[in-house]
Structures are given as structure tokens and as C-alpha cells.
Amino acid sequence: MLDIKNLSVRYNSAGRVVDAVRDVSVHVEKGSFMGLVGESGSGKSTLMMAVLGLLPKQTEISGELLYNGSDIIKMSEDKMRDLRWKEISLVPQSAQNSFTPVIKIKSHIEEVLNIHSNKFGEEAEKDVIRLLGEVGLDAGIKERYPHELSGGQKQRAAIALALACSPALLLADEPTTALDVIVQAEILKLLSELQKRKDLSIILVTHDLPLAAMVCDRLIVMKDGMVAETGTPRDIINDPQHPHTKELVREMFRERNQNNG
Ligand SMILES: Nc1ncnc2c1ncn2[C@@H]1O[C@H](COP(=O)(O)OP(=O)(O)OP(=O)(O)O)[C@@H](O)[C@H]1O
Ligand SMILES: [Mg+2]
């Protein structure tokens, strides 16, 4: 479904050059739940923005980003617009803060349905209720303003928004950051259920290795813009190869022991 080959991304802003992604190759199979793990600044969000064709203009990008065989890097903006929301959709980092405060939840979702699925009026409203249901929210939430939702509810609403046009691939950038551990687990469970129920492919972006290991069937560990390691959670936790992954796994067991002690 998604084949990233030797991708490099270099930001060029205000005379500063940053090699945010360096020679990254990743293969995402249809129906998989992939975890993209790495510390802050390792290039996770940059990689996701590249997949969506949303990098700033002056950015240098090389390599291939094949989505069902077509290279996203070479795609026209029109073609890309067809792909976003309907094929590949993003739950952005800090999604909870990305809702406009004075706009009701339903209007946020309806706007996406209007623009990208050409659905209006009753048809759109029906979809809003269905989408809220799919993420475990009551229909009544649609009449609320963003500040009237808890953090976990807002995150669910952000997922509903991303699902509005029935994408095949969902990119979820740190969807559980800033939530308490119980709500984190609920959001992960939701993503996992959605992945199975809708035959959705998901890339979960997180700095939290244990969290990704809980739900993902494959992990990619990034460090300094490069792929340090890929494998199943079991392989990576039982037998990490890269020094950085070894450190992450040690850290994971240290925390676990502290919590148990
Ligand atoms: N628009 C931009 N212009 C210039 N540099 C950028 C831009 N966006 C990100 N960077 C730089 O690229 C590198 C990778 O950033 P990125 O946001 O992809 O990391 P990340 O892994 O998502 O980090 P975090 O976990 O903190 O979200 C960092 O050095 C960052 O400062
Ligand atoms: Mg990020």
C-alpha cells in the first residue's frame, strides 16, 4: 500500500538547513498497524507530512513515496487533494488543540464532508452521528463546542474527523500525548478496534515504545532522521539490535520495575 524508498527530507528555512529524514525506507502493508517510534526531533512528523504532501515549499525531498504504486512526490496538487482525507488521513499532533473554539464539533466534521465528500445537509448530519458512534461518542456531542469536551473526548472527535471520508490509511501523530494513562489505553483500544473493524491501515506515531508495542504489529524505530530498527514488537523488545533501541528497551524495563517496586 505504502512504499517509502530512500526518502530524504531537508528543510531550508531562514538560511537554516535541517536534514530531518535521511534515507528512510519503510513498507506499510494494507491492514497493518504500524508503530513509528522515536524521540523528539527524530523526524516522525516530517515523515508523515511528506506522505501527505504537506511539507513547506522550500523543502528538498528525494527518494520515492509510492502509494499504491503512484509516487506522491511527483503527484500534482490536484491529485494530492484527491488522496488526502479519502485515501490517507491524518490525526495531527496536538489534534485536541486543532479544533476552532467557536465552532461546534458537528460543523468541524460537516465542513470536511462538504468539501471532500460533497455531502451536505441531512446526509452530512447522518454521517456526523455515525462517525461519532464509531469512535465511541454520544450523538449529543455534535452540538458541543470543543472546550465542552474532555481531552479524551476531543481526541476521539479528532479521530472521527480523520475518518470522515473513509480513508484507507490513517496517520495518527501522538494521539495519546497529554492524556492520562487510562484514557491513553482507551484511545489505543479504539484505534485497534477501528483498524480491525474497518480494515484500516494505521501508522501510530509516538515517542512511547511500550505503548506502541502494546497495539502495533510492526514497529519502526527512528533516530536522528534515520530508521534505527524495524521488527515485530516481540523481536524488538526481546532482542533489540541498535544501541538506541537497546537504550529504549532498558528504559522501558527500568520504568516497569519502578512501578512494580
Ligand atoms: N517546518 C520546519 N522547518 C524547519 N525545520 C523543521 C520544520 N519542522 C521540523 N523541523 C526540524 O526537523 C527535525 C525533525 O522534526 P519532526 O517534527 O519531524 O520530529 P518529531 O520526531 O515529530 O518530533 P516530536 O516527537 O517532538 O514531535 C527537527 O530538528 C525539527 O526542528
Ligand atoms: Mg512530531
Side-chain angles (χ1 to χ4, degrees):
M1 145 174 263
L2 181 67
D3 230 341
I4 303 178
K5 292 185 183 168
N6 307 103
L7 189 81
S8 294
V9 177
R10 171 178 284 178
Y11 288 112
N12 266 311
S13 57
R16 217 171 62 96
V17 171
V18 180
D19 287 305
V21 171
R22 298 192 279 166
D23 199 24
V24 164
S25 296
V26 170
H27 179 73
V28 182
E29 264 171 54
K30 194 175 178 331
S32 64
F33 198 153
M34 184 80 104
L36 183 59
V37 181
E39 61 194 2
S40 185
S42 56
K44 308 181 297 294
S45 296
T46 300
L47 190 58
M48 295 302 97
M49 294 321 252
V51 171
L52 286 161
L54 289 177
L55 290 169
K57 270 213 181 76
Q58 320 83 305
T59 311
E60 289 170 43
I61 178 163
S62 64
E64 285 177 292
L65 266 176
L66 303 175
Y67 181 75
N68 293 335
S70 307
D71 195 344
I72 287 173
I73 298 174
K74 297 192 185 124
M75 242 176 237
S76 68
E77 181 50 32
D78 274 354
K79 194 115 191 278
M80 218 35 240
R81 228 173 276 146
D82 273 346
L83 217 66
R84 277 184 223 122
W85 297 98
K86 279 176 271 188
E87 287 289 333
I88 309 175
S89 191
L90 173 76
V91 182
Q93 190 161 8
S94 319
Q96 299 170 51
N97 304 324
S98 65
F99 289 107
T100 310
V102 293
I103 296 178
K104 284 183 181 177
I105 295 299
K106 73 167 178 191
S107 309
H108 280 96
I109 303 177
E110 276 168 357
E111 189 188 356
V112 172
L113 290 166
N114 297 163
I115 298 175
H116 302 282
S117 284
N118 212 16
K119 288 182 178 175
F120 297 88
E122 240 173 68
E123 192 186 10
E125 181 132 12
K126 251 194 207 151
D127 268 15
V128 170
I129 295 169
R130 175 181 57 79
L131 287 160
L132 291 175
E134 280 180 359
V135 298
L137 291 173
D138 289 340
I141 294 279
K142 71 184 169 65
E143 300 300 332
R144 295 212 207 148
Y145 291 96
H147 73 270
E148 296 173 313
L149 271 59
S150 70
Q153 286 173 326
K154 257 190 267 183
Q155 194 60 53
R156 283 175 192 269
I159 295 169
L161 189 66
L163 293 178
C165 307
S166 311
L169 174 62
L170 183 74
L171 314 176
D173 198 346
E174 300 274 6
T176 62
T177 312
L179 299 172
D180 67 54
V181 276
I182 294 175
V183 180
Q184 277 189 358
E186 286 171 3
I187 297 292
L188 288 183
K189 188 162 162 255
L190 170 68
L191 286 174
S192 193
E193 283 167 4
L194 287 168
Q195 187 251 336
K196 293 191 187 89
R197 192 173 351 125
K198 298 174 97 49
D199 195 26
L200 194 64
S201 311
I202 299 183
I203 302 180
L204 170 71
V205 175
T206 178
H207 58 271
D208 193 332
L209 174 68
L211 184 135
M214 267 192 314
V215 289
C216 297
D217 41 49
R218 240 187 130 63
L219 301 181
I220 301 166
V221 181
M222 277 184 82
K223 162 90 175 150
D224 299 333
M226 289 182 281
V227 173
E229 194 156 348
T230 32
T232 63
R234 180 192 288 258
D235 288 347
I236 283 185
I237 286 165
N238 291 344
D239 189 21
Q241 300 294 316
H242 190 279
H244 178 62
T245 325
K246 287 183 181 169
E247 181 54 39
L248 288 178
V249 172
R250 263 200 299 276
E251 181 63 28
M252 170 176 161
F253 284 112
R254 232 189 331 262
E255 275 180 25
R256 200 175 274 179
N257 291 339
Q258 270 168 7
N259 293 338
N260 291 341

